[in-house]
Each structure stands twice: as structure tokens, then as C-alpha cells.
Amino acid sequence: MTTLTREEIEQGLAENSGSPNGAARNAHAEVLAGAAEALGDGALFRRALDNLINAYLWSAESSKMLVPFARLLQEYDKDPGAFSRWDAHSLFWQFKWVATAIGDSPEIPLESAAGWLDEMERRYRIAGYSERPVREAELWLADAIGEDDRAERAFRAWLAADRDDMSDCHACELNSQGAYAVLRGDDAQALDVWQPVLSGNRTCAEEPHRVLATSLLPLLRVGRFEEARSHHVRGYRMARGNESLLPSVGKHIEFCALSGNESRGLEILAEHAGHVGPLVNVDDQMAFHGGILVLLRRLIELGHGQSPAVPYQGVPHSVSELYEVLRAGSLDIARRFDARNGTTRVSDRFLARIGREPLVDVLPLGVRSTALPQPRTAAPASAPGAAAPVPPATGFDELVQRARQAREQRHPAADALWAEVGVHADACPESQADPLVMADVADHRALAAARAGADDAAQLLEAVRDRYEELGQAERAALARLRLASAAAQSGAAPQRIRELMTVALEAAEALDADEPLRPRRIALAELTSIRVESYLRPLEAGSDHEHEHGPGQDHGHGELAAELGAFVAAHVEALPDLAAEAEEMLGRVALSQGDTSRALPLLAASAARSVSAGLPWQAVDALVLRAGVLVSLGRPEEAEADARSALEHSTEVAEAETQGVVRLTLADILLRRADAAAEAAEHALTAAHWFDQAGLTADGGAQARLLLARAYAREGRHADAAEVLQSTLPDLLEYGEGQTVSVREFLGDLLRQLNDPRAAAEQYLLAADVAKDWEDPRPQAALAQAAAEQLSAARLVPEAVAAYERSLELYRAAGGAPVAEVRILRSLAWMAPRGDADAAAWTRARDLMDQAAGLLEAALAGTAEGVRSPEASTRELRAELAQTWLQLAQVLDWRVTSYEEAEDEEAEDEDEHGGDSRRAGAQGEVDTGALRLEEVDLTGRAADLYAELGPDHLGDRLQCVQYAAWTEQEIGRAGAGVARLSALVDELRSAPEGVPNDLLERAQSSLDGLKRSS
């Protein structure tokens, strides 16, 4: 082993303290501690031990901290005087971590654990610290060994003891207090205790991360589903990939398993697959694996036991195999705890955890996840707003009766009822005794095949037709013939063949007995179907000649179709209003295709109203949704909202998942256009995403619903929720063309900026700019490059920020007409020029850039005065930007003076200490600080005057400039002038007839008072 020098160890400690948490950091810390001990430098060894303890703490190896802590405690006992006040405080603070680590280590005997607790209490008492942390440690030890009375006494003593420098932060204490309430079965109290942490009023390095995870199941148990959803989305974003938070990750996985989100749980498990194995901290292992076991058990129950799971120690396992492996390992750990504690509490609680049943059928989370394959017998998951399930029939005969009744009523539940009849018929041979029932089942299955475009749909329909004819069911056979014609059109059969089938279907309907009640309906349905089919065949047969004959924008047969539909409505509106309503909806769509919204809107409204009056409200949904979309496009949002709400009301019994999604997405989109309806819009968008997922349209309607959901969350200020939802569906949204790609990436960048993640925000802006680089208009790319530059600057990536700013400036100049944007970029570049080691050239460049900005504004103002207006800036805006530029130039000059004076002071100190010449100030060149200060006064005075001309809207800006000038004058020995300048503004504000905001006047008076005291 190579011996490290003191300098190498010190450098290593500095690097290690900022390294990512985990095994690599721990290994490096171990090497540094060993090297420091070998070097024989006591102070350096103590620093290395402290570094090692901290590294272990924030990893899955926290139980390892016992050894280095014992060594550090020995060092303290040998020579307490060698520890500074901060070092001693740190040592006693670490005692709390060690107390937890001891309790989490089953190999440490109970007597030793109790001894450590006594030692902690003794040392805290001698050092004068409160017993508060000691009593908390005692609480958890007593709880683990089943001494509930002692635990309760410790809990009360903990709360009663004073807080002092050794107390945990408020957030951590509230976490523990709430967790104890949960153990006592009081979820409501726990949530109340956690509220300051959950609301963000109490935070620390790992809070609210842990409380967000711990609150999930209590929230589900008390029915606060929206909060549970948000806590998962926001909390998992915080915990993801953090090794010390694996127990919290396990809680998120468990939550997914118990809320109908097993696929999401699997995705989280896959992201942390590297930790699915033995951990040094066995308590963390049991907590993490416990959540995984809840998920695996649910997957087994859902029929996925043989599906592949994540590997265990590099070996592939199925879901069932992994369940057995993790269960055995976790129970072994639990029993080791039991053996030490003399009680079965740990294993009892663990078994109760992994046996928990779901707390809700399905709780839509909003984030995208790949759906699990559903077993054939599984019923589709429900969602908020769906119809209540139909009560089960008492017997097979009743089930058949209800299915036939639903079919006659054209009720959406008919398909599900016939599917259930089919399942019973297949399972019970005696039910097959009724040939008509079996024919009806075959009819249902043939219709489903036709709707799906199955290759054998025609053969199935022909068999149904023949079977009904054999049974003497002529009207059912006639309907089967009509479906054959429709299936032929759907499959792209030759027009002649389709017409032959339509003719046969119409003749079969007309041939029905005159006393057959359904004869008029069968004939009318055949007529309407024929109209639909002919509208499809006419342009198909005409081909390219049709376009040439009529020309662009011509009728293309729409007039003929409209006439046929109009005649149908007139003929059947009284006897068959539901079919007339279908024809009216088609008429409305024809009108829309011709761009005639004034004709389309009343037709769609009439269709919906007629369907509702006919007792078929679900048939009104499509017309209402379509009408709502048209009304939005016409700028009539109130009417659109009314139609969308009606559609939602009438969709209660609609079984088709896609329709449920479309209705809610339409309403959500309309609501989001209102300033006060973001929360309701989010609710509908969330449910829409769920329904689209159920329909297998996750990447289509589901993606658009999630985009709208993210926008609604952002409107509510829930930026973490919005970012997580948007990132989950980003790959889907990027498939919708360049325009949406740019828009979505910019939106995500905005969200990440709000979350103070400047690197990630800059990445999204740059990716969006890259997509827009070939657009004819360079301004979108320029704006995105500017946004990226701002975030790169915030991330202290100076060269990258400068490059992005310069690219943006180049693009704006190429586009022309954007002086304000150019000026702001020039000012930003000026501020960045002296960053780092600022020499004279950097300060000169900063000054030059500010001068360029002022010159650009003056030129734009001159052009405006001559009648040459900038398309994107008013005279008023240009003047305000000029005043701001003068103020910022003054601030840059102040920065230069200050940095020069600081460099001179440091140089003088170096000369006094070392007799050398560091030449810090000299690197900036000769600086006339007095002249620069005078220029600052002039610049801020000019800016204040310009703001005064711009009126009351810029009072705050004006005050800032006057304060700046006044204090600068005080600094250069002209205190009287400064006081006079600021006093004049205060008097003006007090006498202003329109009045000024109180806080503005208070700021001005306070600044004046301070200036007078300093004079």
C-alpha cells in the first residue's frame, strides 16, 4: 500500500466530503482514515474518523459507523482538550446516530445496546445537554423489545424534555413522533403531527423525503387519496436513487402495490435493482425488501408469478422465485432481531406488513407506466367517475334476460353482460341446452370480432346468420346480414361486393313479417347503414378524377350525403328518434367538414337532445364532445364547458374506455383555459389519462392527457408533480412533431427551473433549441438559447453560459426587431465577463458590453422618434430598459472598485505576513476608484430621473437608484448631498396626491435614517 502524504490526505478528505453517497465514497473514506492513522497525526486522524462516520451515515452501510465512532470516542477520552468546541459538539451529535445504529444491529447483544444508551445518558448529563435525544433513543429500543409501558414513558419524557443544541431538527423529531402514532394505530394524529414537514415549513437534508413516503398508507387508510397521490409523485422524485433512503423507496413500492399501481411499483423496483440483495445495514434491507415483497405478492395474486422479475445477486428470477428468496432472507433478519430482543415483535410486524391487502382498487397517479398484461378473466380497472358496477345476477336465466334487455335498449352494458353470459355458458355445459342462448353468445363474439377487424369476422357473422335462420329468428338473421355488409366495407372489400351485401340486408329487413315489432327499425337501420356505406364508396370509386372534376374546396359529394341524411331524419324522427339522432350527428359532421359551423352546431345540439329524450343519454356523448370542441375554437368557452359537462354527465354508463378518456380530456382542456379551474382540470385530466391507459392508448390520448395534467399542476404551483408527470410521458410527446417537441421541452425546462435544478433545465432548453435550429424564424431558437444561458449561469457553468448567450444574441440580430432581448443578453454577458480571475481586459469587456447595450437602446429610441418602430418594444419599455442599463453599469463599476480594494487589502496582508508581492490588485490595472464612484453617482442619478419620467409604475426602481446614489455619495465624502438627494424623494413620496405603497415609503424613510446616522 502506497503511503499518502498529509497534503494528499487533506485533499482526499475535502473531495470525499462532497462525493456522492454510497459504497465508493465509503471505501475511499476507509482508505483515508487508515492513511491518517499510519501518519500518526492525531488531528488529521480525528478528521478522517469524522469523515468516515459521516460517509457511513448517508449510505446503506450506516451500521458500520460503530467502529470509527468508538475510536473517535477513545481519542476524546484520551485528550478532550484536543477537540475544538465544534469537534466536541459533532462527537456528541454522532452519539444519536450510533444509538440508532446499535438498535438496528441484531448482532449487538441487548445488554450492550442498553449499555450504550446508559453511556449516552451519562455523557449528555455531564456535558450539560438535555435528555431529550436519550429518551427518544430509549423509546425505540423499548418498542423493539416489546416494553410498551416503558416506551410510552420514554415518549412522554422525550416531549417534556427541553430542546437544546443536541436535539434533532424539528422535521426529524416530527417524523419520529408521527411514526409512533402510526404504531399506536392513530393515522389521523400522525398526519396532524407531520403537517409542518409535509407543508414544507420544517425541512432538513432528508425531510420531507422520508415523511412523504411514511405518510402514504395512512393517507390511503383515512381516504385522503389526492394527497396520497401527490406525496408519492413528489416524494419518490426526492428519494429516487438515494442509497440512505432505500426504506423510503420500499414504502413507495408498497404504496403502488396497495393502490392498484403494480406496474409503477415494478418500474421503481427496476430502477433500484442493484440494491435487491444483502445490505450491510440489515434493518434497511428488511425495510426495503418488505415493500418489495408486498408488490411481489400482489403480482402473484394477479397471475404474474411466472413473469420475470429483477435479478437477485446477478441471477435471473421470476416474480415467485424472487418473492421466496426475499421473504426467506427478510424473515431470517427478523428472527435474529427476535432472538436478541426476546420477543417476536419484529417478525410479527414484518409478516403483518407483507400480508397487507390493497387499500383501494386503483388510484390513478398521473405518471405514465407500462401496463401489466391482464389475465383473460381479469375485469378492467375502474376509475373515479366510472359507472358503478352492475349488481350480479342471481342466476344464469336472469343474467341472460338482463343481457337481452340491455341489447334491446342499446345500453353500453350489453357487451359486458353478453361476455359474462359467454363465460358461464363455456363453464357450465348444462347452460348450453338452450340453442338460442348459444346463438346470442356467438352473435356477441362475432360482433366483437367485426369491430376489431378480425380476419375471421365474416365467417363468424355468416355462421350467426345461419344459426338464427335455423332457429326461426328472422329479425336477428337480418341484423347479422347487415353486419356482414358493414364488416365487408370495414375490411376494404370491392364496392360491388359491399353493395350486393347491402342489398341482401335491406331485402331481408323488408321481408320480415308485417307484424314483427322490429321490422321498421331493421329497415331504417339498413337505410342508414347504406347511406354511410355509400358516402364511403362514392369518393373511393371516383378516385383522383373526383378531385380533378370538382376542384379543391368543392362539394365532393357532401351535398348528396347531406340530402340523404336530411331525408332520413324527416322520415324517422317521430318513430325512431334514436336513429334520427345518429343521422343528425352525421349531418353535423358533414357541415363541419365543409367549414359551416353555423349549421353544424344546431345539428349536433339537436342530435344530443334527441338521444337524451329517447332514453339513450350515452348516445349524446359524441355529439356533445364534438360540439364543445367547435365552441372552444370559436371563442365561446362558457357554452363549450356546458356541453362538455353534459357529455360527462351522460357518459356515466358508457363502457368504452376511450370515450371516457376523450370526454374528460375535452372538459379538462376547456377548464384549464379558465384562471380559477386548474384543480378541477387536473382532476379530469388525471382520470382521462387512466381511461386512455385502459384503452391501450397510453402513447396517444394518454400522453396528451398527461401533458394537460402537468400544465394544470403547474398552474396550481405543484411544480414537482408536474415535472414528474411530464417526464414520465416525454418520449410519447416527442413523437408528435417538432412544434410539440419544442413546446414540451421548454415547458419541462420551466418546471425544472422552478425546482432549482438549473443544469437539467438548461439541458431541456438546449434540446428544444436544437430542434428549432432549422426553422425559418430564428426567434424561438434565440429565446431558448437565452433561457438555457440563464440556467447555465445559475449552475456556474460560465463558459457554457457565455456560449449560449452569444448564440442567442447572434440569432436575435439575424431576426432583427428585438432590441430588448439583445440588451438583456449584453447585460448578462457583461456581468459574466469578470467572473473568476478578473483582469483589466475582463473589466474593459464588461464596460464595453454595457455601453453596447445603452447604445442599442438609444438607437432604438431614436428610430422610434423618427417613426421607425420596433415590432416588439414600445418607447416606454425601451426607456425603462435604458434606465436599468445605467443602473447595472453603475453596479458593475461598484463591483470593480470593491474587488480592486479587496485585492489591495489582501496584497498588503501578504506583504506584512510574507514580505512578498502577490500583485492581486495590479492584475486589474490602474484603477481610479474615485472617478468610478463619481460615475456611479452620475449613472444612478440619470437612471432615477428617467424612472421619474416613466411615472408611478417605476417608483420602486427609482427609489433603488436614489438610494444607490445617496449611499455612494456618503462613501466618497459627500454625505450631505446624499442626504439631500434621498430626503427630497422622501418628501415627494409623502406629498404625492395619489399616495404610495406604505412599504415603499417605509423603505425610503429607513434608508434615510440610516444614512443620517452614518454621516
Side-chain angles (χ1 to χ4, degrees):
M1 175 179 172
T2 304
T3 303
L4 299 177
T5 65
R6 176 185 177 84
E7 291 72 20
E8 289 171 335
I9 295 171
E10 288 181 335
Q11 180 179 352
L13 291 173
E15 293 172 351
N16 189 259
S17 63
S19 297
N21 299 323
R25 179 190 178 192
N26 295 351
H28 188 206
E30 290 166 358
V31 170
L32 293 171
E37 183 177 20
L39 197 63
D41 187 322
L44 188 61
F45 180 47
R46 290 191 294 273
R47 283 178 54 199
L49 287 173
D50 182 77
N51 175 73
L52 181 56
I53 293 168
N54 278 275
Y56 284 147
L57 173 69
W58 304 107
S59 73
E61 300 179 341
S62 57
S63 58
K64 280 185 165 184
M65 73 174 70
L66 293 173
V67 173
F69 177 78
R71 293 293 308 277
L72 191 59
L73 195 59
Q74 290 175 2
E75 293 291 314
Y76 179 80
D77 288 339
K78 285 192 301 185
D79 187 7
F83 284 66
S84 69
R85 180 179 178 182
W86 168 250
D87 292 338
H89 182 278
S90 177
L91 177 69
F92 279 89
W93 186 271
Q94 290 167 352
F95 231 125
K96 300 183 299 180
W97 304 342
V98 169
T100 300
I102 290 171
D104 293 346
S105 304
E107 66 275 6
I108 296 179
L110 192 58
E111 297 77 11
S112 298
W116 272 98
L117 188 61
D118 292 341
E119 182 68 9
M120 178 183 178
E121 181 175 12
R122 183 183 70 82
R123 288 179 179 267
Y124 270 41
R125 185 170 58 252
I126 293 173
Y129 291 123
S130 168
E131 68 169 350
R132 191 176 180 93
V134 180
R135 299 284 76 83
E136 180 183 3
E138 181 186 8
L139 160 66
W140 296 117
L141 182 60
D143 176 73
I145 62 179
E147 295 184 1
D148 293 338
D149 291 342
R150 179 186 175 190
E152 182 63 23
R153 290 194 301 273
F155 175 71
R156 296 186 182 281
W158 169 27
L159 298 187
D162 293 333
R163 286 186 56 83
D164 64 4
D165 289 346
M166 208 48 59
S167 299
D168 280 341
C169 75
H170 285 284
C172 288
E173 283 203 340
L174 291 173
N175 180 348
S176 296
Q177 291 165 19
Y180 185 59
V182 171
L183 286 178
R184 291 179 298 176
D186 196 337
D187 291 330
Q189 182 186 4
L191 293 168
D192 287 343
V193 168
W194 287 328
Q195 187 54 38
V197 183
L198 297 172
S199 65
N201 292 328
R202 298 290 187 183
T203 63
C204 70
E206 289 191 340
E207 296 298 355
H209 315 46
R210 295 184 301 163
V211 170
L212 285 167
T214 308
S215 69
L216 294 172
L217 296 191
L219 285 168
L220 287 183
R221 286 193 289 260
V222 299
R224 289 160 61 175
F225 299 133
E226 176 59 31
E227 291 172 77
R229 176 190 298 116
S230 179
H231 288 192
H232 167 67
V233 174
R234 183 161 58 104
Y236 179 62
R237 184 181 183 85
M238 294 177 172
R240 177 194 287 128
N242 193 327
E243 191 174 275
S244 68
L245 291 176
L246 286 176
S248 295
V249 173
K251 291 173 183 176
H252 283 284
I253 293 174
E254 179 180 11
F255 164 79
C256 291
L258 301 181
S259 63
N261 291 285
E262 294 83 5
S263 59
R264 166 77 167 170
L266 269 178
E267 291 169 0
I268 297 174
L269 174 58
E271 290 181 350
H272 297 83
H275 294 292
V276 182
L279 300 177
V280 173
N281 187 331
V282 295
D283 188 66
D284 279 5
Q285 177 183 334
M286 189 169 59
F288 177 46
H289 289 180
I292 298 173
L293 283 166
V294 178
L295 172 66
L296 296 176
R297 181 181 59 79
R298 282 291 301 147
L299 291 171
I300 293 169
E301 292 172 352
L302 293 173
H304 300 289
Q306 300 310 308
S307 299
V310 298
Y312 181 84
Q313 294 187 301
V315 179
H317 283 75
S318 69
V319 168
S320 295
E321 291 168 343
L322 184 61
Y323 177 82
E324 294 301 330
V325 170
L326 296 187
R327 186 176 187 277
S330 298
L331 282 176
D332 177 68
I333 295 171
R335 287 163 184 152
R336 285 159 55 193
F337 274 110
D338 290 346
R340 184 195 72 170
N341 298 340
T343 174
T344 60
R345 169 157 290 186
V346 173
S347 58
D348 289 344
R349 284 179 175 172
F350 182 78
L351 288 170
R353 178 188 185 187
I354 66 174
R356 284 172 178 157
E357 293 299 323
L359 296 168
V360 60
D361 288 339
V362 60
L363 177 66
L365 299 177
V367 290
R368 186 199 198 282
S369 59
T370 302
L372 295 172
Q374 289 294 326
R376 288 177 178 266
T377 57
S382 61
V390 179
T394 57
F396 182 73
D397 291 342
E398 182 187 343
L399 179 62
V400 172
Q401 181 182 358
R402 286 168 56 182
R404 285 175 174 158
Q405 184 179 11
R407 184 177 66 188
E408 291 171 7
Q409 295 173 343
R410 303 173 68 189
H411 195 283
D415 285 343
L417 287 168
W418 279 115
E420 189 176 353
V421 170
V423 170
H424 281 277
D426 292 342
C428 304
E430 61 271 15
S431 66
Q432 300 178 17
D434 187 340
L436 183 55
V437 170
M438 296 312 298
D440 286 340
V441 169
D443 180 42
H444 159 72
R445 291 171 176 171
L447 179 58
R451 288 170 177 166
D455 294 338
D456 61 346
Q459 292 90 329
L460 293 173
L461 287 168
E462 288 171 352
V464 168
R465 174 201 61 196
D466 296 343
R467 187 61 176 149
Y468 276 134
E469 287 180 345
E470 292 173 5
L471 295 171
Q473 299 290 317
E475 66 89 10
R476 297 300 305 170
L479 185 57
R481 291 181 185 280
L482 186 58
R483 287 173 177 168
L484 268 169
S486 297
Q490 182 179 345
S491 64
Q496 181 179 353
R497 175 58 178 164
I498 297 171
R499 287 195 176 99
E500 289 174 356
L501 291 170
M502 280 302 312
T503 300
V504 170
L506 181 57
E507 291 174 349
E510 292 173 338
L512 291 173
D513 291 343
D515 59 352
E516 167 57 57
L518 291 175
R519 182 176 184 274
R521 174 173 290 278
R522 292 289 175 260
I523 294 172
L525 187 57
E527 291 173 355
L528 184 57
T529 303
S530 179
I531 293 172
R532 283 198 183 101
V533 169
E534 284 298 329
S535 71
Y536 158 73
L537 292 178
R538 280 193 292 265
L540 185 68
E541 290 177 315
S544 59
D545 293 338
H546 186 74
E547 176 72 21
H548 179 72
E549 177 183 349
H550 292 279
Q554 299 301 312
D555 183 81
H556 303 316
H558 288 151
E560 185 177 354
L561 175 59
E564 292 170 347
L565 289 169
F568 182 89
V569 172
H572 299 289
V573 66
E574 296 296 333
L576 298 168
D578 58 319
L579 293 182
E582 286 189 38
E584 279 179 313
E585 182 184 335
M586 290 180 63
L587 270 171
R589 292 180 184 274
V590 170
L592 286 177
S593 69
Q594 296 175 308
D596 191 349
T597 56
S598 62
R599 187 161 61 96
L601 289 174
L603 284 167
L604 293 171
S607 171
R610 207 176 306 283
S611 293
V612 173
S613 298
L616 306 174
W618 50 85
Q619 186 176 291
V621 171
D622 287 346
L624 288 168
V625 168
L626 180 58
R627 191 171 189 272
V630 175
L631 288 167
V632 166
S633 69
L634 295 176
R636 295 158 63 179
E638 294 83 2
E639 296 171 75
E641 182 180 337
D643 274 2
R645 290 192 183 280
S646 292
L648 181 62
E649 177 187 353
H650 296 322
S651 70
T652 304
E653 296 178 278
V654 171
E656 187 181 25
E658 181 178 1
T659 300
Q660 292 284 357
V662 169
V663 171
R664 286 163 172 79
L665 182 59
T666 301
L667 179 55
D669 180 52
I670 294 169
L671 289 170
L672 197 58
R673 298 166 191 266
R674 281 174 36 189
D676 61 344
E680 188 182 357
E683 176 186 347
H684 292 302
L686 176 71
T687 312
H690 170 80
W691 280 116
F692 283 123
D693 290 347
Q694 294 298 308
L697 298 171
T698 298
D700 301 307
Q704 298 305 319
R706 287 183 171 89
L707 174 58
L708 202 150
L709 175 61
R711 294 196 184 283
Y713 280 159
R715 182 83 62 81
E716 290 185 274
R718 296 168 58 178
H719 299 110
D721 296 43
E724 194 70 13
V725 168
L726 187 60
Q727 284 178 309
S728 74
T729 196
L730 187 62
D732 299 326
L733 294 170
L734 299 182
E735 298 297 320
Y736 284 82
E738 289 186 352
Q740 176 152 295
T741 295
V742 170
S743 173
V744 167
R745 287 205 182 276
E746 182 180 14
F747 178 32
L748 181 54
D750 293 343
L751 293 172
L752 294 169
R753 174 174 54 81
Q754 291 286 346
L755 294 172
N756 297 315
D757 193 348
R759 284 176 179 258
E763 179 185 10
Q764 293 302 321
Y765 291 137
L766 290 173
L767 287 169
D770 187 61
V771 174
K773 66 183 178 183
D774 295 325
W775 291 3
E776 183 177 350
D777 184 356
R779 287 174 296 179
Q781 185 188 359
L784 289 163
Q786 183 179 2
E790 292 168 356
Q791 293 307 297
L792 290 167
S793 176
R796 302 186 181 278
L797 299 173
V798 176
E800 293 85 351
V802 169
Y805 272 129
E806 290 176 343
R807 177 57 178 159
S808 178
L809 184 62
E810 177 187 351
L811 290 165
Y812 275 126
R813 285 174 172 168
V820 171
E822 291 183 46
V823 162
R824 290 176 178 174
I825 292 171
L826 288 168
R827 292 199 305 243
S828 296
L829 286 169
W831 281 105
M832 300 190 75
R835 285 197 184 181
D837 295 329
D839 55 15
W843 291 112
T844 299
R845 173 167 169 73
R847 174 64 178 263
D848 178 63
L849 288 164
M850 284 291 185
D851 288 342
Q852 287 183 45
L856 181 60
L857 289 166
E858 289 164 351
L861 284 166
T864 301
E866 296 171 5
V868 182
R869 289 191 172 274
S870 167
E872 295 186 359
S874 66
T875 300
R876 186 177 182 81
E877 184 181 13
L878 292 171
R879 296 178 75 197
E881 289 294 332
L882 180 58
Q884 183 62 211
T885 302
W886 287 337
L887 172 60
Q888 290 196 27
L889 175 55
Q891 292 169 330
V892 168
L893 296 179
D894 176 72
W895 183 13
R896 184 176 190 189
V897 170
T898 302
S899 65
Y900 180 80
E901 292 173 345
E902 289 175 351
E904 280 193 318
D905 291 342
E906 291 179 11
E907 186 176 316
E909 290 177 6
D910 285 347
E911 289 177 356
D912 290 342
E913 184 175 351
H914 304 293
D917 182 5
S918 65
R919 302 189 180 277
R920 290 188 179 89
Q924 299 188 28
E926 292 299 322
V927 177
D928 186 344
T929 58
L932 291 179
R933 290 297 191 199
L934 287 172
E935 187 175 2
E936 289 177 48
V937 173
D938 177 63
L939 286 166
T940 50
R942 287 158 58 193
D945 292 342
L946 188 47
Y947 278 132
E949 294 173 11
L950 291 170
D953 290 345
H954 290 276
L955 267 179
D957 298 316
R958 182 183 173 197
L959 173 59
Q960 181 185 9
C961 293
V962 171
Q963 286 175 315
Y964 194 114
W967 281 96
T968 304
E969 286 186 304
Q970 192 269 351
E971 187 172 345
I972 60 176
R974 291 165 37 176
V979 169
R981 182 189 295 268
L982 191 51
S983 295
L985 178 59
V986 170
D987 292 342
E988 180 185 336
L989 294 178
R990 290 190 182 281
S991 60
E994 67 277 12
V996 296
N998 288 333
D999 62 330
L1000 197 68
L1001 185 57
E1002 290 173 2
R1003 278 170 47 203
Q1005 184 63 57
S1006 175
S1007 182
L1008 177 60
D1009 293 342
L1011 187 62
K1012 288 178 177 178
R1013 287 194 297 270
S1014 300
S1015 301

